[in-house]
Coordinates of all heavy atoms in Angstrom, one line a residue:
M1 N 127.7 136.7 117.4 CA 128.2 135.7 116.6 C 127.3 135.4 115.4 O 126.1 135.5 115.4 CB 128.2 134.3 117.5 CG 128.8 133.2 116.7 SD 128.8 131.7 117.8 CE 130.1 132.1 119.0
K2 N 127.9 135.2 114.3 CA 127.2 135.0 112.9 C 126.5 133.8 112.9 O 127.0 132.7 113.3 CB 128.3 135.1 111.7 CG 127.6 135.1 110.4 CD 128.8 135.0 109.5 CE 128.1 134.6 108.1 NZ 129.2 134.2 107.2
R3 N 125.2 133.8 112.5 CA 124.4 132.6 112.4 C 124.7 131.8 110.9 O 124.9 132.5 110.0 CB 122.9 132.9 112.3 CG 122.3 133.2 113.7 CD 120.8 133.4 113.6 NE 120.1 132.4 113.2 CZ 119.5 131.4 114.2 NH1 119.6 131.9 115.5 NH2 118.8 130.4 113.9
L4 N 124.9 130.5 111.2 CA 125.3 129.7 109.9 C 124.0 129.1 109.4 O 123.2 128.6 110.2 CB 126.4 128.8 110.3 CG 127.8 129.4 110.8 CD1 128.7 128.3 111.1 CD2 128.4 130.3 109.7
A5 N 124.0 128.8 108.1 CA 122.9 128.1 107.5 C 123.2 126.6 107.8 O 124.2 126.2 108.2 CB 122.9 128.4 105.9
P6 N 122.1 125.8 107.9 CA 122.1 124.4 108.1 C 123.2 123.7 107.3 O 124.0 122.8 107.8 CB 120.7 123.8 107.7 CG 119.9 125.0 108.1 CD 120.6 126.2 107.6
E7 N 123.3 124.0 106.1 CA 124.3 123.4 105.1 C 125.7 123.7 105.6 O 126.6 122.9 105.6 CB 124.0 124.0 103.6 CG 122.8 123.6 103.1 CD 121.7 124.5 103.5 OE1 121.9 125.7 104.0 OE2 120.5 124.1 103.6
Q8 N 125.9 125.0 106.1 CA 127.2 125.4 106.6 C 127.5 124.6 107.9 O 128.7 124.1 108.1 CB 127.3 126.9 106.8 CG 127.2 127.7 105.6 CD 127.0 129.1 105.9 OE1 126.1 129.6 106.6 NE2 127.9 129.9 105.3
L9 N 126.6 124.4 108.7 CA 126.8 123.7 109.9 C 127.1 122.3 109.7 O 128.1 121.5 110.3 CB 125.5 123.8 110.9 CG 125.2 125.1 111.4 CD1 123.9 125.1 112.1 CD2 126.3 125.5 112.4
L10 N 126.4 121.6 108.6 CA 126.7 120.1 108.4 C 128.0 120.0 107.7 O 128.8 119.1 108.0 CB 125.7 119.8 107.4 CG 124.3 119.6 108.0 CD1 123.3 119.2 106.8 CD2 124.3 118.4 109.0
A11 N 128.6 121.0 107.0 CA 129.8 121.0 106.4 C 131.0 121.0 107.4 O 132.1 120.6 107.1 CB 130.0 122.1 105.4
I12 N 130.7 121.6 108.5 CA 131.8 121.6 109.5 C 131.9 120.3 110.2 O 133.1 120.0 110.7 CB 131.3 122.7 110.7 CG1 131.4 124.2 109.9 CG2 132.4 122.8 111.8 CD1 130.8 125.1 111.0
D13 N 130.9 119.5 110.4 CA 131.1 118.2 111.1 C 131.9 117.2 110.3 O 132.1 117.3 109.1 CB 129.6 117.7 111.2 CG 128.8 118.5 112.2 OD1 129.3 119.1 113.0 OD2 127.6 118.6 111.8
K14 N 132.4 116.3 111.1 CA 133.3 115.3 110.5 C 132.5 114.0 110.8 O 131.9 113.7 111.8 CB 134.5 115.3 111.2 CG 135.6 114.2 110.8 CD 136.8 114.4 111.6 CE 137.8 113.3 111.3 NZ 139.0 113.4 112.2
F15 N 132.7 113.0 109.7 CA 132.0 111.7 109.9 C 133.0 110.6 109.7 O 133.8 110.6 108.8 CB 130.9 111.7 108.8 CG 129.8 112.6 108.9 CD1 129.9 113.8 108.2 CD2 128.7 112.3 109.7 CE1 128.9 114.6 108.3 CE2 127.7 113.2 109.7 CZ 127.8 114.4 109.1
L16 N 133.0 109.8 110.8 CA 133.9 108.5 110.7 C 132.9 107.4 110.1 O 132.3 106.8 111.0 CB 134.5 108.3 112.1 CG 135.3 109.6 112.6 CD1 135.8 109.2 113.9 CD2 136.6 109.7 111.7
V17 N 133.1 107.0 109.0 CA 132.1 106.0 108.4 C 132.6 104.7 108.7 O 133.8 104.3 108.3 CB 132.0 106.4 106.8 CG1 131.0 105.4 106.2 CG2 131.4 107.8 106.6
D18 N 131.6 103.9 109.2 CA 131.9 102.5 109.3 C 131.7 101.6 108.2 O 130.4 101.5 107.9 CB 131.2 102.0 110.6 CG 131.5 100.6 111.0 OD1 132.3 99.8 110.2 OD2 131.1 100.2 112.1
D19 N 132.6 101.1 107.4 CA 132.2 100.5 106.2 C 131.6 99.0 106.4 O 131.1 98.5 105.3 CB 133.4 100.4 105.3 CG 133.8 101.7 104.7 OD1 132.8 102.6 104.4 OD2 134.9 101.9 104.5
E20 N 131.8 98.5 107.6 CA 131.5 97.1 107.9 C 130.2 96.9 108.7 O 129.8 95.9 109.1 CB 132.6 96.4 108.6 CG 133.9 96.4 107.9 CD 135.1 95.7 108.5 OE1 134.9 95.2 109.6 OE2 136.2 95.9 108.0
Y21 N 129.6 98.0 109.1 CA 128.4 98.0 109.9 C 127.4 99.1 109.5 O 128.0 100.2 109.6 CB 128.7 98.0 111.4 CG 127.4 98.0 112.2 CD1 126.8 96.9 112.4 CD2 127.2 99.1 112.9 CE1 125.6 96.9 113.3 CE2 126.0 99.2 113.8 CZ 125.4 98.1 114.0 OH 124.2 98.1 114.9
R22 N 126.2 98.8 109.2 CA 125.2 99.8 109.0 C 124.3 100.0 110.2 O 123.7 99.0 110.5 CB 124.3 99.5 107.7 CG 125.1 99.4 106.4 CD 124.3 98.9 105.3 NE 123.2 99.8 105.1 CZ 123.2 101.0 104.3 NH1 124.4 101.3 103.7 NH2 122.3 101.7 104.0
H23 N 124.4 101.2 110.9 CA 123.6 101.3 112.1 C 122.1 101.5 111.9 O 121.4 101.4 112.7 CB 124.2 102.3 112.9 CG 124.2 103.8 112.3 ND1 124.9 104.4 111.3 CD2 123.4 104.8 112.7 CE1 124.6 105.6 111.0 NE2 123.7 106.0 111.9
I24 N 121.7 101.9 110.6 CA 120.3 101.9 110.3 C 120.1 101.0 109.0 O 120.7 101.2 108.1 CB 120.0 103.4 109.9 CG1 120.3 104.4 111.1 CG2 118.5 103.6 109.5 CD1 120.0 105.8 110.6
V25 N 119.0 100.1 109.2 CA 118.8 99.2 108.1 C 117.3 99.3 107.7 O 116.4 99.2 108.5 CB 119.0 97.7 108.5 CG1 118.8 96.8 107.4 CG2 120.5 97.7 109.0
L26 N 117.1 99.5 106.4 CA 115.7 99.7 105.9 C 115.2 98.2 105.5 O 116.0 97.3 105.0 CB 115.8 100.5 104.6 CG 115.6 102.1 104.9 CD1 116.6 102.5 105.9 CD2 115.5 102.7 103.5
D27 N 114.0 98.0 105.7 CA 113.3 96.9 105.1 C 112.6 97.2 103.8 O 111.6 97.8 103.9 CB 112.2 96.2 106.1 CG 111.6 94.9 105.7 OD1 111.3 94.8 104.5 OD2 111.3 94.1 106.5
R28 N 113.4 96.8 102.8 CA 112.8 97.3 101.5 C 111.3 96.9 101.2 O 110.7 97.9 100.6 CB 113.7 96.7 100.3 CG 115.1 97.1 100.5 CD 115.4 98.5 100.1 NE 116.8 99.0 100.3 CZ 117.2 100.1 100.3 NH1 116.2 101.1 100.1 NH2 118.5 100.5 100.5
D29 N 110.9 95.7 101.5 CA 109.4 95.4 101.4 C 108.6 96.4 102.1 O 107.5 96.7 101.6 CB 109.3 93.9 101.8 CG 109.9 93.1 100.8 OD1 110.2 93.3 99.5 OD2 110.2 91.9 101.2
K30 N 109.0 96.6 103.3 CA 108.1 97.6 104.1 C 108.0 98.9 103.6 O 107.1 99.6 103.5 CB 108.5 97.5 105.6 CG 108.2 96.3 106.3 CD 108.7 96.3 107.8 CE 108.3 95.1 108.5 NZ 108.8 95.1 110.0
C31 N 109.2 99.3 103.1 CA 109.3 100.7 102.6 C 108.5 100.9 101.3 O 107.7 101.9 100.9 CB 110.7 101.1 102.1 SG 111.8 101.3 103.6
K32 N 108.2 99.7 100.6 CA 107.5 99.8 99.2 C 106.0 100.1 99.6 O 105.3 100.6 98.9 CB 107.7 98.5 98.5 CG 108.9 98.3 97.7 CD 108.9 97.1 97.0 CE 110.4 96.9 96.3 NZ 110.7 95.5 95.9
S33 N 105.6 99.6 100.7 CA 104.2 99.6 101.2 C 103.9 100.8 102.1 O 102.9 100.8 102.7 CB 103.7 98.3 101.9 OG 104.4 98.1 102.9
C34 N 105.0 101.5 102.4 CA 104.9 102.6 103.5 C 104.1 103.8 102.8 O 104.3 104.3 101.7 CB 106.2 103.2 103.9 SG 106.2 104.3 105.0
H35 N 103.1 104.2 103.7 CA 102.3 105.4 103.3 C 102.9 106.6 103.7 O 103.2 107.0 104.9 CB 100.9 105.2 104.0 CG 100.0 106.3 103.6 ND1 99.3 106.4 102.4 CD2 99.5 107.3 104.3 CE1 98.7 107.4 102.2 NE2 98.8 108.1 103.5
G36 N 103.2 107.4 102.6 CA 103.7 108.8 102.9 C 105.3 109.0 102.9 O 105.7 109.9 102.7
R37 N 105.9 107.7 103.3 CA 107.4 107.7 103.5 C 107.9 109.0 104.2 O 108.6 109.8 103.7 CB 108.1 107.6 102.1 CG 107.7 106.2 101.5 CD 108.0 106.2 100.1 NE 107.7 104.8 99.7 CZ 107.7 104.4 98.3 NH1 107.7 105.4 97.4 NH2 107.5 103.2 98.0
P38 N 107.5 109.2 105.4 CA 107.9 110.3 106.1 C 109.4 110.6 106.4 O 109.8 111.7 106.7 CB 107.1 110.1 107.5 CG 106.9 108.7 107.6 CD 106.7 108.2 106.3
C39 N 110.1 109.5 106.3 CA 111.6 109.6 106.5 C 112.2 110.6 105.5 O 113.2 111.4 105.8 CB 112.3 108.3 106.4 SG 112.1 107.4 104.8
I40 N 111.7 110.7 104.2 CA 112.1 111.5 103.2 C 112.1 112.9 103.6 O 113.0 113.9 103.4 CB 111.5 111.2 101.9 CG1 111.8 109.8 101.5 CG2 112.0 112.2 100.8 CD1 111.0 109.3 100.2
Y41 N 110.9 113.3 104.3 CA 110.8 114.7 104.6 C 111.4 115.0 106.0 O 111.7 116.2 106.3 CB 109.2 115.0 104.5 CG 108.6 114.5 103.4 CD1 107.9 113.2 103.2 CD2 108.8 115.2 102.1 CE1 107.4 112.9 102.1 CE2 108.2 114.8 101.0 CZ 107.5 113.6 100.9 OH 106.9 113.2 99.7
A42 N 111.5 114.0 106.9 CA 111.9 114.3 108.2 C 113.5 114.3 108.4 O 113.9 115.0 109.3 CB 111.3 113.4 109.1
C43 N 114.2 113.6 107.7 CA 115.6 113.5 108.0 C 116.3 114.8 107.7 O 116.3 115.3 106.5 CB 116.3 112.5 107.1 SG 118.1 112.3 107.2
P44 N 117.0 115.5 108.7 CA 117.6 116.9 108.5 C 118.7 116.7 107.7 O 119.2 117.8 107.2 CB 117.8 117.2 110.0 CG 117.9 116.0 110.7 CD 117.0 115.0 110.1
A45 N 119.4 115.6 107.5 CA 120.4 115.6 106.7 C 120.2 115.1 105.2 O 121.0 115.1 104.3 CB 121.5 114.5 107.3
G46 N 118.9 114.9 104.9 CA 118.6 114.5 103.5 C 119.0 113.2 103.1 O 119.3 113.0 101.9
L47 N 119.0 112.2 103.9 CA 119.7 111.0 103.6 C 118.8 110.0 102.9 O 119.1 109.0 102.3 CB 120.4 110.2 104.7 CG 121.5 111.0 105.4 CD1 122.1 110.4 106.7 CD2 122.6 111.4 104.4
Y48 N 117.4 110.3 103.2 CA 116.4 109.4 102.4 C 115.9 110.1 101.1 O 115.7 111.4 101.2 CB 115.2 109.2 103.3 CG 115.5 108.3 104.5 CD1 116.0 109.0 105.7 CD2 115.2 107.0 104.5 CE1 116.3 108.2 106.9 CE2 115.6 106.3 105.7 CZ 116.1 106.8 106.8 OH 116.4 106.1 107.9
N49 N 115.9 109.4 100.1 CA 115.4 109.9 98.8 C 114.5 108.9 98.0 O 114.6 107.7 98.4 CB 116.6 110.4 97.9 CG 117.4 111.6 98.6 OD1 116.8 112.7 98.4 ND2 118.4 111.3 99.0
L50 N 113.8 109.3 97.0 CA 113.1 108.5 96.2 C 113.8 108.4 94.8 O 114.0 109.5 94.1 CB 111.7 109.1 96.1 CG 110.5 108.3 95.8 CD1 110.5 106.9 96.9 CD2 109.2 108.9 95.7
K51 N 114.0 107.1 94.4 CA 114.7 107.0 93.0 C 113.8 105.9 92.4 O 113.8 104.8 92.9 CB 116.1 106.7 93.2 CG 116.8 106.6 91.7 CD 118.4 106.3 91.9 CE 119.0 106.3 90.6 NZ 120.4 105.9 90.6
D52 N 113.4 106.2 91.2 CA 112.5 105.1 90.5 C 111.5 104.5 91.3 O 111.3 103.3 91.2 CB 113.4 104.2 89.9 CG 114.5 104.7 88.9 OD1 114.1 105.8 88.2 OD2 115.5 104.2 88.6
G53 N 110.9 105.3 92.1 CA 109.7 104.8 93.1 C 110.3 104.1 94.3 O 109.3 103.7 95.0
E54 N 111.6 103.9 94.4 CA 112.0 103.3 95.7 C 112.8 104.1 96.7 O 113.4 105.1 96.1 CB 113.0 102.1 95.3 CG 112.1 101.0 94.7 CD 112.9 99.6 94.8 OE1 113.9 99.5 95.8 OE2 112.6 98.7 94.1
V55 N 112.7 103.9 97.9 CA 113.3 104.8 98.8 C 114.8 104.4 98.9 O 115.2 103.1 99.0 CB 112.8 104.6 100.3 CG1 113.6 105.3 101.3 CG2 111.4 105.1 100.3
T56 N 115.8 105.3 98.8 CA 117.2 105.1 98.8 C 117.7 105.7 100.1 O 117.1 106.6 100.6 CB 117.9 105.6 97.7 OG1 117.8 107.1 97.7 CG2 117.4 105.2 96.3
F57 N 118.7 105.1 100.6 CA 119.2 105.7 101.9 C 120.8 105.3 102.1 O 121.2 104.3 101.5 CB 118.5 105.0 103.0 CG 119.1 105.2 104.4 CD1 119.1 106.6 104.9 CD2 119.9 104.3 105.1 CE1 119.7 106.8 106.2 CE2 120.3 104.6 106.4 CZ 120.3 105.9 106.9
D58 N 121.4 106.2 102.6 CA 122.9 106.0 102.8 C 123.3 106.5 104.2 O 123.0 107.5 104.7 CB 123.8 106.8 101.8 CG 125.2 106.5 101.9 OD1 125.7 105.7 102.9 OD2 126.0 106.9 101.2
C59 N 123.9 105.6 105.1 CA 124.2 105.9 106.5 C 125.2 106.9 106.6 O 125.2 107.7 107.5 CB 124.8 104.7 107.2 SG 123.6 103.4 107.7
A60 N 126.1 107.2 105.6 CA 127.2 108.2 105.7 C 126.6 109.6 105.8 O 125.6 109.9 105.1 CB 128.1 108.1 104.5
G61 N 126.8 110.3 106.8 CA 126.2 111.7 106.9 C 125.1 111.8 108.0 O 124.6 112.7 108.1
C62 N 124.9 110.6 108.7 CA 123.9 110.6 109.6 C 124.2 111.4 110.8 O 125.3 111.2 111.3 CB 123.7 109.1 110.1 SG 122.4 108.9 111.5
L63 N 123.3 112.2 111.3 CA 123.5 113.1 112.5 C 123.1 112.4 113.9 O 123.3 112.9 114.9 CB 122.7 114.3 112.3 CG 122.9 115.1 111.1 CD1 121.8 116.4 111.0 CD2 124.2 115.7 111.0
E64 N 122.7 111.1 113.6 CA 122.3 110.4 114.8 C 121.3 110.9 115.7 O 121.2 111.0 117.0 CB 123.7 110.0 115.7 CG 124.6 109.2 115.0 CD 126.0 109.1 115.7 OE1 126.0 109.1 116.9 OE2 127.0 109.1 115.0
C65 N 120.3 111.7 115.1 CA 119.3 112.5 115.7 C 118.2 111.6 116.1 O 117.3 112.0 117.0 CB 118.8 113.6 115.0 SG 118.0 113.0 113.4
G66 N 118.0 110.4 115.5 CA 116.8 109.5 115.7 C 115.4 109.9 115.1 O 114.5 109.2 115.4
T67 N 115.4 110.9 114.3 CA 114.2 111.4 113.8 C 113.6 110.4 113.0 O 112.3 110.0 113.0 CB 114.4 112.7 113.0 OG1 115.0 113.6 113.6 CG2 113.1 113.2 112.4
C68 N 114.4 109.7 112.1 CA 113.7 108.6 111.1 C 113.2 107.4 112.1 O 112.2 106.9 111.7 CB 114.8 108.1 110.1 SG 116.3 107.5 110.8
R69 N 113.8 107.2 113.1 CA 113.3 106.1 113.9 C 112.0 106.4 114.6 O 111.1 105.6 114.7 CB 114.4 106.0 115.2 CG 114.0 104.8 116.1 CD 115.0 104.8 117.3 NE 115.1 103.6 118.0 CZ 115.7 103.4 119.0 NH1 116.6 104.4 119.4 NH2 115.8 102.2 119.7
V70 N 111.7 107.7 114.9 CA 110.5 108.2 115.5 C 109.3 108.3 114.5 O 108.3 107.8 114.6 CB 110.7 109.5 116.2 CG1 109.4 110.1 116.7 CG2 111.6 109.5 117.3
V71 N 109.7 108.7 113.2 CA 108.6 108.9 112.2 C 108.3 107.6 111.4 O 107.2 107.5 110.9 CB 109.0 110.0 111.2 CG1 109.2 111.3 112.0 CG2 110.1 109.7 110.4
C72 N 109.1 106.7 111.4 CA 108.9 105.4 110.7 C 107.8 104.7 111.3 O 107.9 104.3 112.5 CB 110.2 104.7 110.6 SG 110.0 103.2 109.6
P73 N 106.8 104.4 110.5 CA 105.6 103.7 111.1 C 106.0 102.1 111.0 O 105.0 101.4 111.5 CB 104.4 104.0 110.1 CG 105.1 104.3 108.8 CD 106.5 104.8 109.2
Q74 N 107.0 101.7 110.6 CA 107.3 100.3 110.4 C 108.5 99.7 111.1 O 109.2 98.9 110.7 CB 107.2 99.8 109.0 CG 106.0 100.7 108.3 CD 105.5 99.8 107.0 OE1 105.5 98.5 107.2 NE2 105.4 100.4 105.9
S75 N 108.7 100.3 112.3 CA 109.8 99.7 113.0 C 111.2 99.6 112.4 O 111.8 98.6 112.2 CB 109.4 98.5 113.6 OG 108.4 98.4 114.4
L76 N 111.8 100.8 111.9 CA 112.9 100.8 111.3 C 114.1 100.3 112.3 O 114.0 100.5 113.4 CB 113.3 102.4 111.0 CG 114.6 102.8 110.3 CD1 114.6 102.3 108.9 CD2 114.6 104.3 110.5
Q77 N 114.9 99.4 111.7 CA 116.0 99.0 112.6 C 117.1 100.1 112.8 O 117.7 100.6 111.7 CB 116.8 97.8 111.8 CG 117.8 97.1 112.6 CD 118.5 96.0 112.1 OE1 117.8 95.2 111.4 NE2 119.9 95.9 112.2
W78 N 117.2 100.6 114.0 CA 118.1 101.7 114.4 C 118.9 101.6 115.5 O 118.5 101.2 116.6 CB 117.1 103.0 114.6 CG 117.7 104.3 114.4 CD1 117.7 105.2 113.4 CD2 118.5 105.1 115.5 NE1 118.3 106.4 113.8 CE2 118.8 106.3 115.0 CE3 119.0 104.6 116.7 CZ2 119.6 107.2 115.7 CZ3 119.8 105.5 117.4 CH2 120.1 106.8 117.0
E79 N 120.1 101.8 115.3 CA 121.1 101.7 116.5 C 122.1 102.9 116.4 O 122.2 103.4 115.3 CB 121.9 100.4 116.5 CG 121.2 99.2 116.4 CD 120.6 98.7 117.8 OE1 121.1 99.3 118.8 OE2 119.7 97.9 117.9
Y80 N 122.8 103.1 117.4 CA 123.9 104.1 117.3 C 125.0 103.4 116.6 O 125.2 102.2 116.6 CB 124.4 104.6 118.7 CG 123.5 105.7 119.3 CD1 122.7 105.5 120.4 CD2 123.5 106.9 118.7 CE1 121.9 106.3 121.0 CE2 122.6 107.9 119.3 CZ 121.8 107.6 120.4 OH 121.1 108.6 121.0
P81 N 125.9 104.2 115.9 CA 127.1 103.5 115.2 C 128.0 102.9 116.2 O 127.9 103.3 117.5 CB 127.8 104.7 114.5 CG 126.7 105.9 114.4 CD 125.8 105.6 115.7
R82 N 128.9 102.0 115.9 CA 129.8 101.4 116.8 C 130.7 102.5 117.4 O 131.0 103.5 116.9 CB 130.6 100.3 116.0 CG 129.7 99.2 115.6 CD 130.5 97.9 115.1 NE 131.4 98.2 114.0 CZ 132.4 97.4 113.5 NH1 132.3 96.2 114.0 NH2 133.0 97.8 112.5
G83 N 131.4 102.1 118.5 CA 132.3 103.0 119.2 C 133.4 103.4 118.1 O 133.9 102.6 117.6
G84 N 133.7 104.7 118.2 CA 134.7 105.2 117.4 C 134.3 105.6 116.0 O 135.1 106.2 115.2
F85 N 133.0 105.4 115.7 CA 132.5 105.7 114.4 C 131.3 106.8 114.5 O 130.9 106.8 115.7 CB 132.0 104.6 113.7 CG 133.1 103.6 113.2 CD1 133.3 102.5 113.9 CD2 133.9 103.8 112.1 CE1 134.2 101.5 113.7 CE2 134.9 102.8 111.7 CZ 135.1 101.8 112.5
G86 N 130.9 107.4 113.4 CA 129.7 108.3 113.4 C 130.1 109.7 113.5 O 131.3 110.1 113.0
I87 N 129.3 110.6 113.8 CA 129.5 112.0 113.7 C 130.4 112.6 114.7 O 130.3 112.1 115.9 CB 128.1 112.8 113.7 CG1 128.4 114.2 113.2 CG2 127.4 112.6 114.9 CD1 127.1 114.9 112.9
V88 N 131.2 113.5 114.3 CA 132.0 114.3 115.3 C 131.5 115.7 115.2 O 131.8 116.5 114.1 CB 133.5 114.3 115.1 CG1 134.2 115.1 116.1 CG2 133.9 112.8 115.1
Y89 N 130.7 116.4 116.3 CA 130.3 117.7 116.0 C 131.3 118.6 116.3 O 132.1 118.4 117.3 CB 128.9 117.8 117.0 CG 127.7 117.3 116.5 CD1 127.4 116.0 117.1 CD2 127.0 117.7 115.6 CE1 126.2 115.3 116.7 CE2 125.7 117.1 115.2 CZ 125.3 115.9 115.8 OH 124.3 115.4 115.4
R90 N 131.3 119.6 115.7 CA 132.4 120.6 115.7 C 131.9 122.0 116.0 O 132.7 123.0 115.9 CB 133.3 120.7 114.4 CG 134.1 119.4 114.2 CD 134.9 119.5 113.0 NE 136.1 118.6 113.1 CZ 136.7 118.4 112.0 NH1 136.5 118.8 110.9 NH2 137.8 117.5 112.2
Y91 N 130.6 122.1 116.1 CA 130.1 123.5 116.4 C 129.0 123.3 117.5 O 128.1 122.6 117.4 CB 129.5 124.1 115.2 CG 128.9 125.4 115.2 CD1 129.8 126.4 115.0 CD2 127.6 125.8 115.6 CE1 129.5 127.7 115.1 CE2 127.3 127.1 115.6 CZ 128.1 128.1 115.5 OH 127.7 129.5 115.5
G92 N 129.1 124.1 118.6 CA 128.1 124.1 119.6 C 128.0 122.9 120.5 O 128.9 122.0 120.3
Ligands
SF4_1 S1 109.1 105.7 106.9 FE1 110.2 103.7 107.4 S2 109.1 102.2 106.3 FE2 108.5 104.3 105.4 S3 110.0 104.5 103.6 FE3 110.9 105.4 105.4 S4 112.2 103.8 106.4 FE4 110.8 102.8 104.9
SF4_2 S1 119.0 109.4 112.5 FE1 118.6 111.6 111.9 S2 120.2 112.2 110.4 FE2 120.3 110.0 110.8 S3 119.2 109.1 109.0 FE3 117.9 109.3 110.8 S4 116.8 111.2 110.6 FE4 118.5 111.3 109.2

């Protein structure tokens, strides 16, 4: 079986985005004082970024892996999406 690159695997998945509930919520003040901002490097979907010195984040595209929850030193608010929403894996 042919091996697919991570980007190709992500493109196969389907996301049912919940516009009324964010399952991951950042505390902007804590993010400003966060040392190293590990979420930016650890999120496999690349959902955390730095813009004008501030961490930006978008729930859409979340793989629900929990990595950001583990690496965040400041108790990131993290839940699974509500029932019927979130990622639908289509490979493996
Ligand atoms: S690791 Fe946590 S506190 Fe630090 S920037 Fe990321 S979400 Fe914010
Ligand atoms: S749960 Fe995983 S994919 Fe979702 S934002 Fe956190 S690290 Fe990224």
Side-chain angles (χ1 to χ4, degrees):
M1 185 181 290
K2 183 185 170 195
R3 279 182 75 93
L4 299 177
E7 301 76 27
Q8 293 173 303
L9 290 169
L10 288 172
I12 292 171
D13 296 326
K14 181 179 175 185
F15 296 91
L16 303 169
V17 179
D18 187 348
D19 292 326
E20 297 179 8
Y21 174 73
R22 294 175 63 82
H23 68 284
I24 299 172
V25 181
L26 276 58
D27 183 323
R28 299 285 173 197
D29 289 333
K30 287 181 178 177
C31 290
K32 280 180 189 167
S33 63
C34 178
H35 182 70
R37 294 165 173 165
C39 56
I40 294 173
Y41 309 101
C43 175
L47 300 181
Y48 292 86
N49 290 287
L50 206 54
K51 187 176 180 188
D52 299 328
E54 284 201 25
V55 175
T56 63
F57 173 70
D58 188 352
C59 281
C62 177
L63 306 172
E64 301 168 30
C65 65
T67 304
C68 55
R69 183 186 199 183
V70 173
V71 301
C72 177
Q74 311 212 47
S75 300
L76 177 72
Q77 184 181 323
W78 196 102
E79 303 285 343
Y80 280 110
R82 296 193 297 177
F85 293 100
I87 189 169
V88 178
Y89 286 101
R90 289 178 157 167
Y91 187 90

